[in-house]
């Protein structure tokens, strides 16, 4: 009898999670197998490589996955091809369990997949399913596990069960359950079925556009499913504005030539799906008809009605008047309920919004025309159905900071009026700019009542220091010197919080002090909305956020003849009214998909924190006194 062969086991590579509960008993059993193997010797039916394979299995059983993988790889190099494929698969599986997917990938490169036995093909499916789970692709893992189950060796049952449990856990994460449901519908639809196709698209509404894009770009995923995921993304991107849908679906078919659907069938799905998004049937609108916001309410009303007449959707609109006091908004709310409204737009005043949202038992969805209260949380049953839509200038100032940073500017000078609005604009811009790794080089305040800001500009641009240096030098030399004051050189962008009239004073004074070459960003307040090329020429070069509607109506002849618009001065509110109506059908999808963008007339909207919509404005620059879209290289 040969001396028993004892295999050294590196226990320090085994984590407590990997060690079987009956470790001692299994250790003795494995050693007994090894002793018997050694005693039997390499006689008939017990070739040396079989003993080595048994050794690798023992290491694997003990949780020494790295050692097992290395042993199987070494054996595979000397084995005949059929056995070598099985050994490489075992090595890849062990490498994955050892937490080394790179080595597992290398091992799989040696496998001839076309020559595998059904059992080894199932084992390979388990390894690939593990890869899919590690890369957050549960749909792919589910298909692989389903295929692997058909010819699964009994020795791999525990590995299959472990992967299935991981799949179940992963499916419970956002997006995974929906994609799995889409995979189920896809596999049961060998040909075009309009009803099932719409069911599949709707099952993915809870998956963000970003996640759809990642999952659709999966080279190892099921071709039919990845095609459906990509089509869902294409449809979603072309829901609101349909102009480019035909070209987009043609491009989709080029990416998925083997997909079941034809281009015409994909277009049919887009049309059927789009027709599901309709406005509510009875909408109540709470707008001020008296008080300080009366004129703003009129502009919003006219914008809303113009959008409604373009797309009524079979809905009914009811208007209820509010005033300056919060009680009028609450009365309007209850009057709307009595009238059977199933949606409410408004109110406009911020305090009225807060008062209405504090009502006990409120159950009707609301699109408020102002910011929601800080840290507002919907009551149970209304989650995602209370939405804030506003032209907040505080949010706008933050957008200006982000835009300047994206354009590559990092050192800012801030100018703002010495009043509460100016302080808010400056503080918001500075906070956002600093968070983006920008630097506030200097800041100054000016008085709205003054027309000459020379002193403030010379101080903040350090021109006064340049003049002081000149005076000192003249005194030293006792002679008059030719001298040109020089402004500071450490500023690459200026943020100007100003009204249109003040900006027309400050911009020329910046040029006078040789600072006209520094890019200037401002808030939308610098543009009155009234096209005036002659009067606005002093604003040339200033970049600012605008309502897209304003840029598509650049001349007075383009502006509709509504008294409420006031020749364009209320155009942003008119555009907001249009968006208030046109947004309604899409709000549910927007709240489910934070990447879904609504291209509105007052801005581009996405679902943001809590229940608010985040507005990204269009970007414009004054040229020859006209606001024109900011060129791509400057954005």
């Amino acid at each position: 009898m040969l001396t028993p062969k004892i295999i050294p086991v590196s226990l320090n590579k085994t984590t407590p999670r990997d060690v079987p509960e009956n470790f001692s008993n299994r250790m003795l059993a494995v050693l007994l197998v090894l002793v018997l193997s050694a005693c039997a010797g390499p006689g008939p039916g017990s070739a040396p490589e079989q003993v080595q394979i048994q050794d690798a299995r023992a290491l694997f059983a003990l949780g020494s996955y790295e050692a097992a993988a290395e042993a199987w790889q070494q054996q595979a190099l000397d084995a005949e091809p059929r056995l070598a494929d099985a050994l490489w698969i075992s090595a890849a599986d062990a490498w994955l369990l050892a937490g080394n997917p790179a080595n597992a990938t290398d091992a799989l490169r040696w496998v001839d997949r076309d020559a595998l036995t059904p059992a080894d093909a199932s084992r390979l499916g388990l390894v690939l399913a593990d890869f899919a789970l590690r890369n957050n692709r549960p749909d792919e893992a589910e298909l692989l596990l389903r295929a692997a189950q058909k010819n699964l060796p009994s020795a791999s049952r525990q590995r299959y069960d472990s992967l299935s449990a991981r799949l179940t856990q992963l499916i419970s994460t956002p997006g995974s359950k929906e994609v799995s449901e889409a995979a189920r519908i896809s596999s049961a639809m060998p040909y075009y079925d309009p009803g099932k196709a719409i069911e599949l698209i709707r099952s993915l509404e809870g998956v963000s556009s970003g996640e759809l894009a990642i999952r659709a770009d999966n080279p190892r995923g099921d071709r039919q499913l990845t095609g459906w995921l990509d089509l869902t993304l294409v449809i979603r991107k072309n829901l609101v504005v349909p102009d480019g849908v035909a070209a987009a679906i043609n491009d989709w078919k080029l990416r998925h030539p083997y997909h079941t659907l034809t281009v015409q069938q994909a277009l049919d799905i887009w049309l059927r799906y789009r027709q599901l998004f309709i406005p509510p049937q009875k909408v109540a609108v709470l707008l001020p008809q008296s008080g300080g916001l009366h004129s703003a309410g009129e502009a919003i009303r006219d914008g809303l009605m113009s959008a409604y007449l373009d797309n009524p959707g079979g809905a009914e609109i009811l208007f209820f008047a509010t005033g300056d006091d919060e009680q009028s908004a609450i009365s309007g709310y209850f009057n709307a309920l009595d009238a059977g409204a199933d949606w409410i737009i408004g109110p406009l005043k911020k305090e009225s919004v807060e008062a209405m949202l504090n009502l006990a038992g409120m159950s009707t969805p609301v699109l408020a025309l102002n910011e929601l209260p800080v840290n507002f949380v919907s009551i149970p049953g209304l989650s995602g159905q209370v939405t804030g839509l506003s032209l907040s200038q505080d949010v706008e100032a933050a957008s200006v900071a982000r835009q300047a940073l994206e354009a590559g500017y990092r050192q800012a000078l801030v100018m703002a009026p010495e009043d509460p609005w100016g302080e808010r604009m400056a503080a918001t811009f500075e906070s956002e700019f600093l968070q983006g790794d920008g630097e506030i080089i200097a800041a100054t305040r000016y008085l709205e009542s003054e027309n000459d800001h020379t002193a403030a500009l010379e101080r903040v641009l350090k021109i006064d220091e340049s003049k002081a240096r000149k005076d000192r030098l003249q005194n030293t030399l006792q002679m008059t010197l030719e001298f040109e004051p020089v402004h500071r050189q450490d500023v690459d962008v200026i943020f100007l919080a100003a009204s249109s009239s003040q900006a027309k004073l400050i911009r020329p004074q910046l040029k006078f002090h040789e600072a006209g070459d520094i890019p200037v960003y401002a808030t939308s307040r610098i543009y009155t909305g009234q096209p005036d090329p002659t009067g606005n020429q002093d604003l040339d070069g200033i970049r600012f956020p605008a309502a897209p509607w304003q840029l598509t109506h650049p001349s007075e002849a383009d502006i509709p003849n509504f008294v409420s618009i006031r020749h364009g001065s209320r155009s942003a509110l008119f555009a907001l009214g249009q968006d208030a109506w046109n947004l309604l059908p899409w709000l549910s999808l927007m709240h489910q998909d934070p990447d879904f963008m609504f291209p509105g007339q007052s801005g581009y909207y996405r679902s943001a924190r809590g229940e608010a919509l985040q507005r990204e404005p269009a970007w414009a620059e004054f040229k020859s006194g006209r606001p024109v879209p900011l060129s791509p290289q400057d954005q």
Side-chain angles (χ1 to χ4, degrees):
M1 182 174 176
L2 298 176
T3 303
K5 181 179 180 182
I6 305 299
I7 304 298
V9 177
S10 179
L11 294 180
N12 62 343
K13 294 182 180 178
T14 303
T15 62
R17 181 172 53 86
D18 298 322
V19 178
E21 294 179 2
N22 55 345
F23 175 80
S24 299
N25 293 335
R26 291 187 61 182
M27 179 69 172
L28 292 173
V30 169
L31 292 177
L32 180 60
V33 168
L34 296 175
V35 169
L36 293 175
S37 298
C39 291
S46 301
E49 60 266 24
Q50 291 177 318
V51 175
Q52 293 172 355
I53 293 172
Q54 194 80 305
D55 294 350
R57 288 175 182 167
L59 292 167
F60 187 87
L62 291 171
S64 294
Y65 301 124
E66 185 175 331
E70 290 172 346
W72 271 319
Q73 285 189 169
Q74 187 60 43
Q75 295 157 26
L77 293 174
D78 300 324
E80 54 97 5
R82 186 190 63 78
L83 182 57
D85 286 336
L87 292 169
W88 284 118
I89 293 171
S90 296
D93 197 29
W95 279 125
L96 282 178
L97 290 170
N100 196 328
N103 281 7
T105 301
D106 291 340
L108 290 182
R109 292 195 179 103
W110 293 83
V111 176
D112 182 358
R113 303 190 186 190
D114 294 331
L116 293 178
T117 66
D120 284 339
S122 291
R123 293 175 56 236
L124 175 61
L126 296 183
V127 174
L128 296 177
D130 195 336
F131 271 110
L133 291 172
R134 290 168 186 266
N135 289 282
N136 194 32
R137 297 197 295 263
D139 48 309
E140 179 184 335
E142 186 175 23
L143 292 172
L144 288 165
L145 288 175
R146 191 183 305 160
Q149 193 175 21
K150 296 177 182 177
N151 299 291
L152 190 68
S154 57
S156 299
R157 171 56 61 178
Q158 185 176 0
R159 183 77 166 112
Y160 173 87
D161 291 341
S162 173
L163 291 169
S164 295
R166 283 169 57 193
L167 173 63
T168 300
Q169 183 179 9
L170 186 59
I171 284 177
S172 65
T173 62
S176 300
K177 183 177 181 180
E178 290 87 347
V179 173
S180 295
E181 175 63 12
R184 183 191 65 78
I185 300 171
S186 172
S187 63
M189 189 174 22
Y191 53 86
Y192 178 45
D193 181 328
K196 287 188 178 298
I198 294 300
E199 181 186 356
L200 188 153
I201 301 296
R202 298 213 69 174
S203 73
L204 293 168
E205 287 179 348
V207 183
S208 71
S209 295
E211 186 172 351
L212 279 176
I214 294 171
R215 291 177 181 270
D217 189 27
N218 178 6
R220 294 194 303 194
D222 176 74
R223 288 196 300 188
Q224 290 299 307
L225 179 59
T226 55
W228 279 112
L229 297 175
D230 193 11
L231 179 61
T232 302
L233 184 60
V234 169
I235 288 173
R236 200 176 290 180
K237 287 181 176 179
N238 292 273
L239 274 177
V240 182
V241 180
D243 298 348
V245 67
I249 286 182
N250 275 319
D251 291 342
W252 167 83
K253 188 60 178 177
L254 291 175
R255 293 193 298 273
H256 305 278
Y258 302 107
H259 198 273
T260 302
L261 295 178
T262 65
V263 168
Q264 193 56 46
Q265 289 168 342
L267 283 168
D268 182 58
I269 293 171
W270 168 82
L271 181 59
R272 289 172 183 268
Y273 184 61
R274 191 171 190 265
Q275 289 172 342
L276 298 176
F277 294 90
I278 58 175
Q281 293 307 291
K282 185 173 283 191
V283 179
V285 183
L286 311 184
L287 285 174
Q289 293 186 10
S290 62
L293 294 176
H294 175 223
S295 58
E298 287 183 329
I300 293 173
R301 177 203 63 202
D302 289 346
L304 193 150
M305 283 304 301
S306 71
Y308 168 76
L309 293 173
D310 285 341
N311 180 30
E316 179 184 0
I317 293 184
L318 307 171
F319 287 87
F320 296 90
T322 64
D324 282 339
D325 61 301
E326 292 81 7
Q327 187 57 47
S328 65
I330 294 175
S331 298
Y333 168 79
F334 284 114
N335 289 335
L337 295 187
D338 291 341
D342 50 19
W343 256 92
I344 291 175
I345 296 177
L348 178 57
K349 192 175 181 181
K350 189 172 184 178
E351 292 78 8
S352 296
V353 171
E354 294 184 6
M356 189 181 74
L357 295 182
N358 284 328
L359 290 173
M362 192 184 73
S363 58
T364 304
V366 171
L367 176 62
L369 298 176
N370 210 313
E371 293 180 280
L372 300 181
V374 177
N375 299 324
F376 170 78
V377 178
S378 290
I379 61 175
L382 269 184
S383 179
Q385 295 193 68
V386 176
T387 307
L389 174 69
S390 79
L391 301 176
S392 166
Q393 293 196 43
D394 295 75
V395 175
E396 194 174 85
S399 294
V400 172
R402 291 194 297 271
Q403 182 69 11
L405 288 164
E406 288 171 10
Y409 302 116
R410 290 295 180 272
Q411 296 172 297
L413 184 156
V414 176
M415 294 189 67
E418 195 173 306
D419 59 28
W421 176 82
E423 293 299 333
R424 284 200 341 265
M425 295 302 100
T428 303
F429 174 88
E430 290 171 4
S431 175
E432 192 73 20
F433 200 73
L434 290 170
Q435 287 184 39
D437 292 330
E439 182 180 1
I440 306 300
I441 299 298
T444 189
R445 301 293 183 264
Y446 62 87
L447 295 175
E448 283 271 16
S449 58
E450 294 182 354
N451 295 331
D452 185 1
H453 303 296
T454 298
L457 288 173
E458 288 189 346
R459 183 171 58 254
V460 76
L461 293 171
K462 291 191 174 181
I463 292 173
D464 56 350
E465 294 183 12
S466 182
K467 288 181 177 179
R469 285 194 296 273
K470 169 226 177 183
D471 292 340
R472 288 196 299 271
L473 189 55
Q474 285 187 155
N475 289 335
T476 301
L477 299 176
Q478 292 297 305
M479 61 183 295
T480 302
L481 301 173
E482 290 291 333
F483 178 80
E484 190 70 33
V486 178
H487 68 74
R488 65 191 307 156
Q489 301 297 309
D490 56 353
V491 171
D492 60 12
V493 67
I494 295 173
F495 171 61
L496 175 62
S499 64
S500 179
S501 58
Q502 280 294 334
K504 290 174 185 176
L505 296 172
I506 294 173
R507 178 63 170 162
Q509 291 176 39
L510 284 169
K511 292 180 178 179
F512 177 79
H513 290 99
E514 304 297 329
D517 58 330
I518 303 175
V520 177
Y521 284 80
T523 66
S524 62
R525 187 176 280 196
I526 68 158
Y527 181 44
T528 64
Q530 295 178 308
D532 183 9
T534 302
N536 289 333
Q537 285 188 4
D538 283 335
L539 300 176
D540 279 1
I542 295 182
R543 304 167 183 178
F544 66 100
W549 191 95
Q550 294 172 326
L551 301 184
T552 55
H553 297 75
S555 67
E556 192 166 355
D558 297 320
I559 297 176
N561 190 26
F562 288 108
V563 174
S564 62
I565 298 182
R566 296 188 180 183
H567 305 288
S569 63
R570 297 285 184 181
S571 57
L573 291 166
F574 179 86
L576 184 71
Q578 290 187 317
D579 289 343
W581 177 256
N582 290 329
L583 267 165
L584 290 182
W586 312 106
L587 284 173
S588 176
L589 183 57
M590 292 175 74
H591 284 308
Q592 292 183 83
D593 178 7
D595 299 323
F596 181 80
M597 185 187 73
F598 175 84
Q601 294 296 317
S602 60
Y604 306 99
Y605 292 94
R606 286 186 173 88
S607 182
R609 58 167 185 81
E611 315 294 332
L613 293 182
Q614 179 178 319
R615 171 180 175 257
E616 189 61 37
W619 291 96
E621 180 178 1
F622 276 106
K623 291 185 177 180
S624 300
R626 300 177 184 274
V628 298
L630 196 61
S631 60
Q633 60 265 28
D634 291 328
Q635 291 192 26

